[in-house]
Amino acid sequence: VEFSDAISTWQDLKGLIQFNNGQFTSRVEKNRVYLYPDNPVKGELWVSVEPGIQNAKGDALKNRLSEKLVFTSQKPQVRFSGKGVILPGNKRLTIPFEAINVSSVQVTAFRIYADNMGQFLQTNALSGDQDLQRVGRHLWRKTVHFSAVRNDKWNPYALDVSELIKKYPHGMFRLSLSIHRANSTYECSAEEKQTTIPPENPLQDANDVTFQEVSSWDYVQDYFGVDNDSSTWPDRDNPCKDAYFRYAQGVQSSRNFMSSNIGLIAKSDAGGSMHVIATDLRSSEPLAGVKISFFNYQNQITANSVTDARGFAQIHLPTPAFYLLAENNKDIAYLKLN
């Protein structure tokens, strides 16, 4: 509706626009009226425009106009917050994440072994996820329950990984968050509501005798489901069905993490020398005495150097390096150089 200039305030609109349930505030912007409900809206809401509102030509609306709006809850989702892989050391190491319309999540920990990091970097950046079964194994899967949940809002949480880093101080970890129907607080019918968390399939690694690949035949397992899974592809957008928690975006989130206080910058010059700068990520101060080892693609050491009092190291490399490893007492860091 192209409203006239006479309608400029809430007082002008009072009684002309109504909700069938609850109150609202409004904002008028040229020929548009924006309505803001005082409370969250769910289900059906009728909005009525009464006769009397005039358009720019002065013609009044003759008949009452009513429209039904249907507000649905946000679909259950989970996600890690922020970006990055490196966790600077602290007494308590936490990883932030967010969830909406769920009361719990499953957390799976996967370890990438330190002596396999060269192999991992052959096909990945530090944040990569390719061919992980070649370089690591699963550690555990746990269910984390939330004590307070605000429905239809993203709730912030944090995973405490201090014990995990303490037990496995080197290498890298990939943490995965996942949800299924029993974690959800989304409103479903009594028949569709699931309150008991079903047993999880055992975690599998590549050399387990039970490890199986998918059929790769026109994604047949996605459409019909696998094993005793009743989920099917047509239900993938319905949070009251298992298929949503198998195929929908936002029901799973993964991130790589490693603990290190070493920040690294490396630059090569035209003469074949490599310049490396090491700093403390907690204070930005230079790190002296850091051992720098250069590796080729085949994961063999080709050169070594040590940072000076300014945190600088310079070395002429006989062959191009693929990645470097920095060691400062028990602290380590990796930097891919290709």
Side-chain angles (χ1 to χ4, degrees):
V1 178
E2 186 177 356
F3 296 112
S4 66
D5 294 337
I7 298 177
S8 58
T9 67
W10 156 241
Q11 292 299 328
D12 296 330
L13 290 172
K14 193 172 184 180
L16 296 180
I17 299 180
Q18 299 179 5
F19 284 177
N20 71 318
N21 184 15
Q23 300 297 318
F24 64 90
T25 56
S26 66
R27 176 171 61 90
V28 179
E29 184 177 307
K30 296 183 179 179
N31 66 334
R32 295 187 177 187
V33 178
Y34 295 87
L35 308 179
Y36 301 90
D38 293 344
N39 296 300
V41 179
K42 289 184 180 180
E44 295 183 357
L45 176 69
W46 284 91
V47 179
S48 300
V49 181
E50 302 296 332
I53 288 183
Q54 297 179 351
N55 64 15
K57 297 179 181 180
D59 298 329
L61 184 67
K62 296 180 179 180
N63 300 313
R64 188 171 187 260
L65 174 67
S66 295
E67 290 288 343
K68 181 177 73 173
L69 306 177
V70 179
F71 292 84
T72 59
S73 295
Q74 291 272 5
K75 294 180 179 180
Q77 298 173 72
V78 65
R79 66 191 181 193
F80 280 106
S81 307
K83 299 180 180 179
V85 174
I86 308 299
L87 291 173
N90 206 330
K91 291 183 178 180
R92 185 170 181 262
L93 293 174
T94 60
I95 298 171
F97 70 97
E98 299 173 297
I100 185 170
N101 283 344
V102 293
S103 59
S104 57
V105 299
Q106 279 65 244
V107 183
T108 304
F110 184 90
R111 181 188 180 191
I112 301 168
Y113 297 101
D115 51 3
N116 286 341
M117 282 299 297
Q119 186 179 4
F120 169 82
L121 292 172
Q122 287 178 345
T123 53
N124 292 285
L126 286 177
S127 59
D129 61 354
Q130 300 297 311
D131 300 324
L132 296 185
Q133 291 286 346
R134 300 184 303 120
V135 294
R137 292 181 67 86
H138 288 96
L139 294 175
W140 44 256
R141 181 195 287 124
K142 300 177 181 179
T143 298
V144 177
H145 297 272
F146 306 141
S147 57
V149 176
R150 297 177 302 163
N151 288 334
D152 285 321
K153 293 183 180 294
W154 284 98
N155 294 267
Y157 303 102
L159 291 172
D160 189 337
V161 295
S162 304
E163 289 300 318
L164 182 65
I165 299 296
K166 182 179 180 181
K167 187 174 182 180
Y168 308 103
H170 296 150
M172 183 182 289
F173 303 93
R174 185 169 181 82
L175 296 181
S176 299
L177 307 172
S178 60
I179 55 177
H180 48 61
R181 202 147 51 104
N183 305 122
S184 171
T185 60
Y186 188 87
E187 293 185 4
C188 298
S189 66
E191 294 78 13
E192 295 173 319
K193 190 68 177 177
Q194 187 179 59
T195 58
T196 303
I197 297 178
E200 298 280 356
N201 293 326
L203 295 171
Q204 293 184 341
D205 295 298
N207 62 333
D208 291 346
V209 294
T210 56
F211 184 81
Q212 293 180 344
E213 294 182 353
V214 297
S215 69
S216 298
W217 186 74
D218 291 341
Y219 302 96
V220 64
Q221 67 280 345
D222 286 347
Y223 192 86
F224 291 104
V226 295
D227 299 329
N228 295 322
D229 185 358
S230 60
S231 64
T232 55
W233 182 252
D235 295 326
R236 65 192 181 278
D237 294 324
N238 185 354
C240 296
K241 299 291 186 179
D242 289 333
Y244 172 82
F245 299 94
R246 185 177 182 87
Y247 305 119
Q249 292 185 349
V251 298
Q252 194 269 348
S253 182
S254 299
R255 182 83 64 82
N256 294 350
F257 298 97
M258 64 180 300
S259 177
S260 178
N261 296 319
I262 305 175
L264 294 171
I265 297 175
K267 297 192 176 191
S268 59
D269 60 28
S273 292
M274 181 69 70
H275 303 258
V276 180
I277 306 171
T279 57
D280 192 321
L281 290 175
R282 299 165 296 181
S283 64
S284 298
E285 295 295 324
L287 285 177
V290 177
K291 180 183 176 182
I292 307 294
S293 301
F294 296 89
F295 290 78
N296 59 21
Y297 185 81
Q298 289 72 32
N299 206 31
Q300 303 300 304
I301 296 179
T302 59
N304 289 294
S305 185
V306 178
T307 59
D308 59 22
R310 303 177 302 151
F312 281 66
Q314 179 180 353
I315 188 172
H316 182 79
L317 297 177
T319 58
F322 180 67
Y323 76 97
L324 68 80
L325 168 66
E327 300 173 272
N328 185 35
N329 297 321
K330 294 183 180 181
D331 206 3
I332 65 173
Y334 300 90
L335 183 63
K336 196 171 181 178
L337 299 174
N338 68 327

